[in-house]
Amino acid sequence: MGKVIGIDLGTTNSCVAVIDGGDPVVIPNSEGSRTTPSMVGFTDGDERFVGLQAKRQGIINAERTIYGIKRLMGRKYRSDEIARLKELLPYRLVENVNGDAWVTINGKNYSPQEISAQILRKMKSTAEDFFGEEILEAVITVPAYFDDAQRQATKDAGRIAGLTVRRIINEPTAAALAYGYQNRKDARVAVFDLGGGTFDISILELHDGVFEVISTSGDNDLGGDDFDRVILEHLIKRFEEESGVDVSEDKMALQRLREAAESAKCELSTLSETNINLPFLAVDDSGPQHFSMNFQRSLLNDLCYDLIERLEVPCRQALDDAGLNAADIDEVILVGGMTRMPAVQERVVELFGKTPNKGVNPDEVVAIGAAIQSGIIDGEIKEVVLLDVTPMSLGIRVENDGFSAIIPKNTSIPTRVSKTFTTTRDNQELVTVAVHQGEQRKASRNRLLGLFNLTGLPSSPAGVPRIEVSFDIDTDGIVNVTAVDTRTGQSQSIEVTGHSGLSDEELERAVSRNA
């Protein structure tokens, strides 16, 4: 049987690891780096390259250099939201009929899953070069707060890349697996995961090789990209004040400023001040315009204050859902590159009352955890048991657009839960069961996963029928929903496997196009 690899498909960087000789090993890519920029570059002749080579061409070929694609996978956008994205990103986006944001390169449209598949293919080839054999299976990590459609989109990306995705595992859970596998001690841990595109916080209990997730919360719109953006906006404004030139529509200048913003942010994790120096940033009637400024950590903290404040609510929510106080947490594990920012670490100390554990590499720990999960699946690791939870509530739409949760968020999976409902009109012959996922009281504000009709109800007054709706969710997050009229035994069911935004035909076409 071939190797099952573990992949951390990150917003900014990706990483691949595997169990080799009983131990997790991070595999370096062909450039010798243990992480790979999650960037895909195209030439005008449709040649593609991934990682460092794509990042290098970002300035001179910004429109054909794709980054941050993870944020677009499996998500629906309103037209005004896509218009806003078009303003922020150097590459072209197009809205398809389903409200998905696709990338346009050289006149061809690519789904976010296809772009992500290029990154996964790079991880796959990295592992194949390491072992000298074909790799066909993988465990891939996702943010804990990814919904059903985003998880399915990740699985579809794996399929397009030529991988069978054996398991989707939450990133904080993977990090806790890596931490616990190395430390082998009982503990109650909080995994604080602030990466390039998302923020997750999960509370876990580690005991005798059992890793049990108690609660999880997060913000899918908070990550390093947002920190980069507020710095970028400041630099654009500062340059215009000094030179009188607005470069907000100059894609090459924007890309140079964007890279300078990211570099300054990283440097200020260890320095109190750095210098941004960009000669020939623009040209106007008076000649070339250069940009230079000293950038202090204090200014960075001021610019990012609102973003850092947004970390509190998910942390409080996760603790409340777990029924715990900050004092009950033994260790706080930092995951994701943004946790290197001193202001973020200070906020963690304020929230949890303790210095976070820095004993794991925040860039590699998630991939290591994914590899451990692959070892569990493969039978190579036998002394570890993982008990995860569903990150969002699952339920159905009821009268007046209400949402009735049947499986509340943070319920351990696998699980089966039933709830009894009735009709709202006299002589109602059918009921429509609409399955939703989310935390809003109105069903229409939650994600619709699927719907089906239960027909053949006998004529009776409203409120008389007894309809039992059962949700059954397995460890892979596959949901089966069944509705039964308890008086007649009439039943109907649906398997909710998630809809990533790609039709079966589009998925098959993507597989063929990327083979």
Side-chain angles (χ1 to χ4, degrees), residues 234-461:
H234 177 79
L235 298 184
I236 292 171
K237 183 179 178 182
R238 177 73 173 264
F239 182 65
E240 185 173 9
E241 290 173 351
E242 294 180 354
S243 68
V245 179
D246 179 8
V247 294
S248 59
E249 300 297 326
D250 184 335
K251 292 187 181 297
M252 184 176 291
L254 276 179
Q255 189 63 23
R256 292 181 67 192
L257 283 170
R258 186 177 287 110
E259 291 197 359
E262 182 183 2
S263 295
K265 179 191 69 176
C266 295
E267 290 170 9
L268 291 175
S269 292
T270 54
L271 303 173
S272 60
E273 182 175 314
T274 189
N275 179 259
I276 295 174
N277 186 29
L278 298 172
F280 302 98
L281 184 62
V283 178
D284 64 5
D285 293 340
S286 63
Q289 298 294 327
H290 314 297
F291 181 53
S292 180
M293 70 170 287
N294 291 326
F295 201 101
Q296 299 82 21
R297 183 187 290 177
S298 58
L299 174 58
L300 173 65
N301 293 345
D302 289 342
L303 293 172
C304 299
Y305 177 82
D306 290 341
L307 295 174
I308 292 173
E309 285 301 295
R310 284 170 57 185
L311 298 169
E312 179 176 359
V313 171
C315 291
R316 300 292 184 202
Q317 186 67 56
L319 287 169
D320 289 344
D321 290 344
L324 300 172
N325 297 314
D328 298 320
I329 303 300
D330 298 312
E331 294 276 8
V332 181
I333 304 168
L334 299 182
V335 180
M338 277 307 304
T339 59
R340 290 189 172 91
M341 183 176 178
V344 171
Q345 296 181 8
E346 291 166 10
R347 197 71 180 100
V348 171
V349 173
E350 293 171 2
L351 290 170
F352 291 94
K354 54 179 58 67
T355 302
N357 183 302
K358 299 180 183 178
V360 298
N361 185 323
D363 298 322
E364 300 177 0
V365 65
V366 171
I368 290 172
I372 293 170
Q373 177 62 42
S374 74
I376 296 171
I377 291 173
D378 231 7
E380 201 165 345
I381 295 176
K382 302 182 184 300
E383 66 272 25
V384 173
V385 176
L386 174 62
L387 302 175
D388 215 335
V389 299
T390 180
M392 297 182 187
S393 299
L394 290 159
I396 65 171
R397 185 178 65 231
V398 294
E399 190 177 15
N400 297 323
D401 195 31
F403 176 66
S404 178
I406 295 179
I407 298 183
K409 67 175 181 177
N410 296 319
T411 298
S412 293
I413 56 176
T415 189
R416 178 180 173 84
V417 181
S418 300
K419 198 170 181 179
T420 301
F421 299 87
T422 188
T423 55
T424 57
R425 300 191 310 272
D426 292 338
N427 303 318
Q428 193 170 329
E429 296 183 353
L430 68 83
V431 293
T432 298
V433 180
V435 182
H436 290 260
Q437 182 178 37
E439 310 307 321
Q440 301 298 321
R441 293 184 177 182
K442 286 187 174 295
S444 58
R445 297 180 63 185
N446 292 323
R447 188 69 179 254
L448 175 65
L449 301 183
L451 52 84
F452 61 92
N453 292 323
L454 175 62
T455 60
L457 300 180
S459 296
S460 56

